[in-house]
Amino acid sequence: MRVLSVVGARPQFVKLAPIAEAMRSRAEHIVVHTGQHYDELMSDVFFRDLGISAPDVNLAVGSGKHGAQTGAMLSGLEPLLERYAPDWVLVYGDTNSTLAAAIAAVKLHMPVAHLEAGLRSFNRRMPEEHNRVLTDHAADLLLAPTEVAMRHLASEGLASRSVLVGDVMTDVLYAVRDRVAGQSLPLPAGVEPGRFLLATLHRPDNTDDRDRLGVIVEQLSSLDLPVVLAAHPRLRAAAERWGVDLERGSIRVVEPLAYPALVSAVASSAGVITDSGGLQKEAFLLRVPCTTVRRETEWVETVELGWNQLVGDDLEQLGSAANRPRPAETEATPYGDGSAAQRVVEALIAAQSPARQ
Ligand code: UD1
């Protein structure tokens, strides 16, 4: 079986790591990087730290408006798919790279599998929500991380193509957590274990609205504990555009963190403040309270279990939410047991069309 994975943005490199490992000896695995993320700290460092071989091809598409970025990926991917003629095109998550690869493949009648299928925010202002819905409806095999995702797929008439595999981010998080546990990685900005909050912000809804960004930064800057803000390039660019000074009060701005450094920092922190999807779950899996600067979340289990609080409409509540006491402990495992990637490979083998096996 030949599988061609298409990745392009930071969270996809994290998801690729356990898949690439599970593919070894079971399938021929080609990796195409669209180049959506290209900075050393947003891309290369993930391949190095997570032991992923360099991509077979890098389209180096880079940044751009949605149409231009997605279109450049589409036209770059088409000849590659024709050249490799894979049994499966495997696409990850919800970025423009995901959608471009799904469209390029289905137009060539190539089977598409979508990893992390069935997530919904029901917020149609998010580009990621359109990427998810369109990719799920285009794909032949929907690899869902949770029961909730399976229900969303069923309600859209996609049950017969869906398989519950668990969450591959749990696989990689557990592996890296165990690896960094024995090392003492320095904490960013020289903060002390248990005496800081870790923050990230990159959603356009937060960064691209001058007033909203101003209030969020104001709230972070007046927290009692130091706030380590690992700044995504989109945040830095927006702050500069709006004249918002990030480095003030309690805030300590640092570069985006490599994955082992991120895991180590979350595990040592008193809490996480974020608008990232992955980080909400990583905080939950490491049992660190999370405050999410959004109106809704795809990872509703983290909220239902009390480990995540949404602060979307009333940003003035951000400070008090981040200071809330720790929730009740839980043994729940809504994101699987850390062996989702093996199930993905099995599902791909099982669903291969008989003619191509
Ligand atoms: C993208 C994904 C989002 C994912 C996120 C993880 C889409 C629509 N969004 O958002 O689902 O959660 O990645 O980070 O695909 N930039 C750099 N260097 C880089 C990458 C980006 O400077 O290596 C800057 C560019 O100015 C770019 C901006 O960041 O315009 C935003 O990048 P983009 O790929 O458009 O989306 P993200 O916000 O990163």
Side-chain angles (χ1 to χ4, degrees):
M1 177 172 74
R2 178 183 286 171
V3 179
L4 187 146
S5 283
V6 180
V7 292
R10 183 168 59 172
Q12 294 168 326
F13 311 139
V14 177
K15 291 165 201 163
L16 172 65
I19 294 288
E21 176 67 30
M23 290 278 183
R24 258 180 224 153
S25 80
R26 301 198 70 184
E28 184 191 352
H29 190 206
I30 315 286
V31 176
V32 176
H33 186 331
T34 62
Q36 175 168 356
H37 284 175
Y38 45 85
D39 285 348
E40 160 79 14
L41 288 176
M42 297 290 286
S43 175
D44 303 12
V45 74
F46 287 83
F47 284 82
R48 261 202 318 276
D49 286 347
L50 297 174
I52 317 168
S53 310
D56 295 275
V57 184
N58 190 326
L59 293 174
V61 159
S63 307
K65 297 184 84 172
H66 286 285
Q69 189 182 54
T70 312
M73 292 172 187
L74 254 173
S75 63
L77 284 167
E78 190 167 71
L80 275 179
L81 296 184
E82 285 175 323
R83 172 164 24 123
Y84 285 106
D87 299 304
W88 284 108
V89 177
L90 182 57
V91 302
Y92 299 67
D94 59 15
T95 73
N96 289 341
S97 301
T98 316
L99 179 64
I103 297 174
V106 292
K107 293 289 178 86
L108 292 169
H109 312 299
M110 287 180 184
V112 178
H114 183 204
L115 182 83
E116 211 177 68
L119 293 190
R120 297 289 182 267
S121 66
F122 302 102
N123 175 354
R124 289 175 54 81
R125 281 187 49 82
M126 287 176 73
E128 293 85 354
E129 182 73 356
H130 298 291
N131 291 342
R132 291 178 193 126
V133 172
L134 294 166
T135 302
D136 280 341
H137 284 258
D140 302 278
L141 179 62
L142 301 169
L143 302 161
T146 61
E147 298 277 4
V148 171
M150 287 294 279
R151 285 205 288 279
H152 291 150
L153 293 169
S155 75
E156 293 174 27
L158 300 173
S160 65
R161 289 187 248 162
S162 309
V163 182
L164 179 62
V165 288
D167 194 327
V168 296
M169 288 191 84
T170 305
D171 302 15
V172 65
L173 178 82
Y174 284 173
V176 172
R177 176 199 61 188
D178 295 346
R179 201 172 89 208
V180 299
Q183 310 166 358
S184 50
L185 294 181
L187 288 171
V191 290
E192 289 169 44
R195 300 281 310 147
F196 72 98
L197 298 157
L198 181 72
T200 77
L201 287 171
H202 78 277
R203 296 265 165 227
D205 264 2
N206 288 330
T207 58
D208 297 3
D209 176 329
R210 181 201 300 241
D211 296 338
R212 214 175 145 81
L213 183 61
V215 177
I216 295 169
V217 170
E218 178 59 37
Q219 286 283 317
L220 295 182
S221 71
S222 44
L223 284 163
D224 291 337
L225 288 176
V227 177
V228 175
L229 177 59
H232 184 288
R234 177 191 284 282
L235 171 64
R236 279 192 196 267
E240 200 174 309
R241 187 163 70 242
W242 303 136
V244 171
D245 183 12
L246 294 177
E247 188 82 57
R248 65 189 155 109
S250 303
I251 302 177
R252 317 271 183 273
V253 181
V254 298
E255 296 286 341
L257 297 174
Y259 193 72
L262 174 92
V263 171
S264 168
V266 172
S268 306
S269 73
V272 163
I273 302 166
T274 192
D275 58 8
S276 149
L279 200 43
Q280 295 171 48
K281 235 175 0 184
E282 284 149 355
F284 169 74
L285 292 169
L286 294 167
R287 296 298 189 269
V288 169
C290 183
T291 304
T292 296
V293 194
R294 283 180 51 194
R295 297 182 175 87
E296 70 288 302
T297 178
E298 301 78 27
W299 305 109
V300 290
E301 303 85 355
T302 59
V303 175
E304 287 161 6
L305 291 164
W307 286 81
N308 190 5
Q309 185 170 330
L310 301 180
V311 181
D313 287 323
D314 195 357
L315 293 174
E316 305 291 338
Q317 297 299 317
L318 208 171
S320 58
N323 280 327
R324 72 193 186 277
R326 267 177 84 81
E329 295 300 328
T330 172
E331 298 289 314
T333 55
Y335 304 117
D337 57 4
S339 43
Q342 289 296 343
R343 278 187 220 108
V344 167
V345 177
E346 273 145 34
L348 292 173
I349 292 170
Q352 230 182 322
S353 80
R356 301 173 70 107
Q357 273 174 1

